[in-house]
Amino acid sequence: MSQQRHGSTPGHGAGAVPAFPDLPEATIARLPEYLRALHNLGETGADTVSSEGLAAAAGVNSAKLRKDLSHLGSYGTRGVGYDVTLLIEQIEYVLGLDQRRAVCLVGLGNLGHALAGYDGFASRGFKIVALFDADESKVGEIIHGLPVRHISDLGRVAVEEKIAIGVIATPAGAAQAVADVLVDAGVTSILNFAPCVLSVPSNVDVRKVDLAIELQILSFHEHRKASLTALPGGRSATTAGDQEAVGS
Amino acid sequence: MSQQRHGSTPGHGAGAVPAFPDLPEATIARLPEYLRALHNLGETGADTVSSEGLAAAAGVNSAKLRKDLSHLGSYGTRGVGYDVTLLIEQIEYVLGLDQRRAVCLVGLGNLGHALAGYDGFASRGFKIVALFDADESKVGEIIHGLPVRHISDLGRVAVEEKIAIGVIATPAGAAQAVADVLVDAGVTSILNFAPCVLSVPSNVDVRKVDLAIELQILSFHEHRKASLTALPGGRSATTAGDQEAVGS
DNA sequence: TAGATTGTTAATCGATTAACAATC
DNA sequence: TAGATTGTTAATCGATTAACAATC
């Protein structure tokens, strides 16, 4: 689901060329998936890829892929497909991945600890530059090469290090206060792992990842499937469904 | 965004009362958020809550909340609001949280280790009952009270322990093989943290959490906001936007 | 009864999809 | 040219929202 409203760019200067494509939220959320698939294809040595091929690799249908890419402009060649390298460059440009963005991580419990060491960040255009925790006994500890600083330094360091994205991995009770400090320090993007709603100004983007919610959604479907098999006309779980790839 | 297609319950037995409400995917994804908000409200001693109040606590607007809840049936009282306890019971029933579901976790690297110790699972209706890894040197290690087993035991144990949900936290290269074993063992719900698309039969639900993708989506918005401030008619990031809560 | 708030309606909006004309 | 595949159109579908009648 989309996680954040964005005021549709109000009143451009008359006649100004829009510096930036106005992409549908659903498209934005899929671009990183296409990018990952393209990187994989590039490693296998492919120079070009058809919408059909890329769509399969990204787990979507080809009409949706072409529609999504058409919002970026016209970077395919009819009869041929898309140039893998060119498309990677285009998507990375739109996603703003041509510049490495500084990330700070707040909260070094179980999850924060794991996030601090997560390879996927560094390998995909992000650099964790600072760690913070409220627990004095953790301050000074070196985690994956970075020292833990006290949360009271967050505001100052966020400005100094030009933090672009703040990741909140604190307990729910502390998350809003951390968000407030981040916002005051000028951070306009927050990734929130705490199970709570954050209140922020409308120019700040928040995305939320809630692991328990993901399980609860799966639980709903388990419940639904169980009730179907129990139903008179219901299809049994083992016979139902054609073998088909997943995604959307 | 929704992550999985669901064949719309085909051909019920004639006249059979549907055992289960057919909820929109977007509604399902919000129910856990409402549930969390309701638990918070319950702890503060509230007996009833209005759609306005609950919506605010869950970060959505009240029309959406009422529409969502109307799909469950009619559990509010006009002029009064919703009974907190009753609504909790209803949502928990629909989400299938009245029965504790057994979860297994595959892949005990950085992230898997953190997930194994994540409180949010146990406290919200799930129980991790087994851990698996391909690395022989990890087998036998006790992590948060559970022994790590070798992945070759996954199929057998998944059946024995009646695993309802498999969580994949392996590297991307191993994820599909793990999914195949889970599916063979009859597991029909998978939460995938590996950055890759899984191919599974259509009766299996997959949800995907990709941390780097979340950052890339935020990066897009950072890029967009930066391009706005550079624009002639653009609003500066610091003056833009009314102070408003986030969500949806 | 008067006030409050739900549940529903209907309009609107955005996303998906199939089909195909454009074009390499 | 013939075959392949994009980019776009238009129809469809699902989700959101404001407004309000129903009703506690």
Side-chain angles (χ1 to χ4, degrees):
Chain A
M1 69 253 56
S2 81
Q3 310 214 349
Q4 173 82 35
R5 209 171 313 110
H6 297 284
S8 52
T9 342
H12 277 258
V17 178
F20 213 69
D22 209 358
L23 305 182
E25 200 63 31
T27 297
I28 297 163
R30 283 187 295 262
L31 289 179
E33 200 68 59
Y34 302 154
L35 186 57
R36 188 189 48 68
L38 283 164
H39 278 301
N40 288 349
L41 284 164
E43 279 167 23
T44 69
D47 284 343
T48 60
V49 63
S50 68
S51 62
E52 201 66 53
L54 182 53
V60 303
N61 78 40
S62 63
K64 191 186 282 181
L65 175 97
R66 287 198 300 279
K67 183 76 167 178
D68 282 341
L69 294 186
S70 75
H71 288 114
L72 305 185
S74 197
Y75 296 106
T77 306
R78 287 165 140 107
V80 178
Y82 299 91
D83 181 283
V84 171
T85 308
L86 179 64
L87 195 51
I88 287 176
E89 278 169 16
Q90 274 308 316
I91 295 180
E92 287 188 340
Y93 167 74
V94 170
L95 292 179
L97 300 177
D98 42 2
Q99 47 197 303
R100 173 156 298 227
R101 296 185 188 271
V103 175
C104 76
L105 175 54
V106 188
L108 286 145
N110 248 328
L111 183 61
H113 211 285
L115 294 174
Y118 185 57
D119 301 329
F121 290 163
S123 70
R124 288 196 262 179
F126 302 94
K127 183 177 168 119
I128 298 184
V129 300
L131 308 177
F132 300 93
D133 202 289
D135 183 350
E136 289 283 4
S137 74
K138 280 194 184 129
V139 172
E141 187 182 340
I142 306 288
I143 296 184
H144 295 283
L146 276 177
V148 177
R149 312 166 96 130
H150 192 260
I151 190 113
S152 57
D153 291 338
L154 173 55
R156 183 176 54 76
V157 175
V159 173
E160 280 174 12
E161 299 275 352
K162 298 192 174 57
I163 300 291
I165 301 176
V167 177
I168 301 180
T170 65
Q176 182 62 58
V178 169
D180 292 343
V181 175
L182 287 169
V183 168
D184 279 346
V187 174
T188 53
S189 288
I190 293 174
L191 179 54
N192 181 29
F193 287 91
C196 64
V197 175
L198 294 182
S199 186
V200 298
S202 68
N203 63 313
V204 175
D205 287 280
V206 177
R207 292 196 61 87
K208 187 178 169 205
V209 175
D210 189 320
L211 309 179
I213 284 183
E214 297 300 325
L215 287 187
Q216 289 177 343
I217 294 170
L218 288 173
S219 175
F220 168 85
H221 290 300
E222 281 294 305
H223 191 192
R224 183 182 52 78
K225 282 180 281 199
S227 83
L228 279 182
T229 57
L231 217 61
R235 311 193 295 175
S236 86
T238 46
T239 62
D242 35 315
Q243 189 83 13
E244 187 41 84
V246 143
S248 139
Chain B
M1 65 252 58
S2 81
Q3 310 214 352
Q4 173 80 35
R5 206 173 315 112
H6 295 285
S8 53
T9 342
H12 276 258
V17 177
F20 214 69
D22 209 358
L23 304 182
E25 201 62 32
T27 297
I28 296 162
R30 283 188 294 264
L31 289 180
E33 200 69 59
Y34 302 153
L35 187 57
R36 189 190 47 68
L38 283 164
H39 278 301
N40 287 348
L41 284 164
E43 280 167 23
T44 69
D47 284 343
T48 61
V49 62
S50 68
S51 62
E52 200 68 52
L54 181 54
V60 303
N61 79 39
S62 63
K64 192 185 283 182
L65 175 97
R66 286 198 301 278
K67 182 76 166 176
D68 283 339
L69 294 186
S70 76
H71 288 114
L72 304 185
S74 197
Y75 297 107
T77 307
R78 288 164 140 107
V80 178
Y82 299 91
D83 182 283
V84 171
T85 308
L86 179 63
L87 194 50
I88 286 176
E89 277 169 16
Q90 274 308 315
I91 295 180
E92 287 188 340
Y93 167 73
V94 170
L95 291 179
L97 301 177
D98 42 2
Q99 48 197 301
R100 171 154 300 224
R101 294 184 190 274
V103 175
C104 76
L105 174 54
V106 188
L108 286 145
N110 249 328
L111 182 61
H113 211 283
L115 293 174
Y118 185 57
D119 300 330
F121 290 162
S123 70
R124 288 196 262 177
F126 302 94
K127 183 177 169 116
I128 298 184
V129 299
L131 309 177
F132 300 92
D133 202 288
D135 183 351
E136 289 283 3
S137 74
K138 279 192 185 130
V139 172
E141 188 182 341
I142 306 287
I143 296 183
H144 295 283
L146 277 178
V148 177
R149 310 166 97 130
H150 192 260
I151 190 116
S152 57
D153 291 338
L154 173 55
R156 184 177 51 78
V157 175
V159 173
E160 281 174 13
E161 299 276 352
K162 298 191 175 59
I163 301 289
I165 302 176
V167 177
I168 301 180
T170 65
Q176 182 63 57
V178 169
D180 291 343
V181 175
L182 286 169
V183 168
D184 278 346
V187 174
T188 53
S189 290
I190 293 175
L191 179 54
N192 180 29
F193 286 90
C196 65
V197 175
L198 294 181
S199 186
V200 298
S202 67
N203 64 311
V204 175
D205 288 280
V206 176
R207 293 197 59 90
K208 188 180 168 200
V209 174
D210 189 319
L211 309 179
I213 283 184
E214 297 300 325
L215 287 186
Q216 290 177 343
I217 294 171
L218 288 172
S219 174
F220 168 85
H221 290 300
E222 282 293 305
H223 191 193
R224 183 182 52 77
K225 281 180 280 198
S227 83
L228 280 182
T229 58
L231 217 61
R235 311 191 297 175
S236 87
T238 47
T239 63
D242 34 316
Q243 189 83 16
E244 187 41 86
V246 144
S248 141

